[in-house]
Amino acid sequence: MAEIRSIVVIGAGQMGGGIAQVAATAGIAVKVLDAFPGAIDKCRGLHDKLLARAVEKGKMTQGDADAAKGRIGYLPIASLDVVSESDFVIEAIVEDAKVKRDLFAQLANATRAQILATNTSSISITEIAAAAGDAADRVIGMHFFNPVPVMKLVEVIKGLATSEKTTLRTIALATAMGKTPVPANDRPGFVSNRVLMPLINEAFYAWMEGVAEPAHIDEIMKLGCNHPMGPLRLADFIGLDTCVHIMDVLADGLNNDRYRACPLLKQLVAAGRLGDKTGRGVFEYGK
Ligand code: CAA
Ligand code: NAD
């Protein structure tokens, strides 16, 4: 199977930025696109910071960091035509089914890329693929975990029409990026968020019902269950907006009210408290 030499990442947020960094470090040329120029600048700044830190810690030579940076091109979304030159596209935009379907409909026209992968946390791959029409066999779920440079897993999810060739190339790319691909079926939230997100949601209910203070809920789960982060800290880290989107997909897809997002979680999102990315969610963070 031919090696994958270049990819396009659409969405330069925390996930798209992380995917681009890991791919570039693995020797793959990357173009990263975002609808908002501010997001592109932020992504570039974060890459500079993380690569400089890796050099300081002796994990990478300055030459390798410079080479990785040189492999990344930063572009506004207006340049969707660059996608046509790439073998492999990874979408990492907002967790909204309609916005993703619109993008995949455009991508199916804009590119002959062999693979159109989505980093969705929970949305049906089959539904996203349907928007790509004849290209549905080239659409697949390639679910990375946050922070991408640290987390080993890529959950690989086939839609109804996904071809074997698409699956094998996706597994090959994940492996080339130093990740461990593990398959899951196309059900709401797949495995990871079917299990993780209700736990996070329950922590919000525990807070709302006064079972304990947020810091104590987290401390109990960290020290009592050996989780690296408490569930409320993890929700801030993921993004509270993303958590609500995922719970909505679970509640609708599994048709069960026990998956409804906790009102307190929704209220924080309504207030613009999205977690780390806005500086405040459950907890407050410095700039
Ligand atoms: N980006 C890149 N690297 C990061 C990072 C980031 N945002 N945050 C931490 N790191 C790196 C650090 O540079 C450090 O690297 P070195 O060991 O090479 O020095 C390493 O991670 C450890 O960092 P720290 O010592 O600062 O902190 P820590 O030991 O507390 O670890 C953590 C931080 C790795 C984030 C850890 O707290 C953790 O594993 N948390 C849980 C993360 C998790 O559950 N992720 C899954 C979220 S769910 C998801 O992704 C799916 C979805 O669809 C929502
Ligand atoms: P984020 O909010 O950090 O970034 C999303 C980026 O997409 C933003 O920069 C935004 O400007 C851009 N964007 C939005 N609509 C766009 C469009 N139509 N075209 C181009 N760019 C657009 O979000 P994130 O946390 O990086 O999540 C991205 C995707 O990855 C979501 O599907 C999410 O569910 C999934 N995911 C998130 C995590 C996590 O822990 N945050 C983990 C795994 C998967």
Side-chain angles (χ1 to χ4, degrees), residues 211-243:
V211 180
E213 292 299 314
H216 292 152
I217 292 171
D218 273 10
E219 202 64 6
I220 285 165
M221 295 306 290
K222 274 168 54 182
L223 300 181
C225 301
N226 237 7
H227 291 187
M229 284 172 165
L232 298 172
R233 171 74 195 94
L234 183 58
D236 276 353
F237 186 62
I238 291 168
L240 301 191
D241 52 339
T242 302
C243 294

Side-chain angles (χ1 to χ4, degrees), residues 29-187:
V30 190
K31 291 198 172 75
V32 56
L33 280 61
D34 201 287
F36 301 95
I40 287 287
D41 295 341
K42 195 170 161 193
C43 177
R44 191 202 307 262
L46 193 62
H47 286 162
D48 289 347
K49 193 171 125 191
L50 289 172
L51 289 169
R53 198 188 295 161
V55 173
E56 260 171 46
K57 284 185 172 175
K59 304 216 164 200
M60 208 183 220
T61 66
Q62 186 64 54
D64 285 346
D66 291 343
K69 265 192 268 180
R71 287 187 200 102
I72 310 177
Y74 300 89
L75 298 156
I77 194 75
S79 40
L80 204 58
D81 50 334
V82 300
V83 171
S84 64
E85 300 154 19
S86 173
D87 291 343
F88 203 117
V89 178
I90 304 176
E91 167 276 313
I93 65 169
V94 62
E95 186 73 351
D96 178 308
K98 184 182 177 315
V99 181
K100 288 198 195 284
R101 282 197 311 267
D102 288 350
L103 179 64
F104 275 76
Q106 286 180 53
L107 284 175
N109 292 326
T111 176
R112 288 195 300 272
Q114 293 184 21
I115 316 290
L116 303 174
T118 170
N119 185 50
T120 180
S121 296
S122 59
I123 299 167
S124 161
I125 306 306
T126 303
E127 179 188 339
I128 295 172
D134 290 347
D137 61 322
R138 293 184 271 143
V139 176
I140 191 161
M142 188 180 193
H143 186 201
F144 290 85
F145 287 73
N146 189 13
V148 183
V150 178
M151 306 298 281
K152 284 283 170 209
L153 180 65
V154 171
E155 208 175 15
V156 176
I157 309 107
K158 290 202 255 182
L160 196 62
T162 308
S163 72
E164 198 54 24
K165 184 176 164 200
T166 300
T167 308
L168 291 175
R169 281 186 78 75
T170 302
I171 289 171
L173 178 62
T175 307
M177 289 172 70
K179 302 300 180 195
T180 304
V182 181
N185 286 328
D186 190 19
R187 299 286 181 273

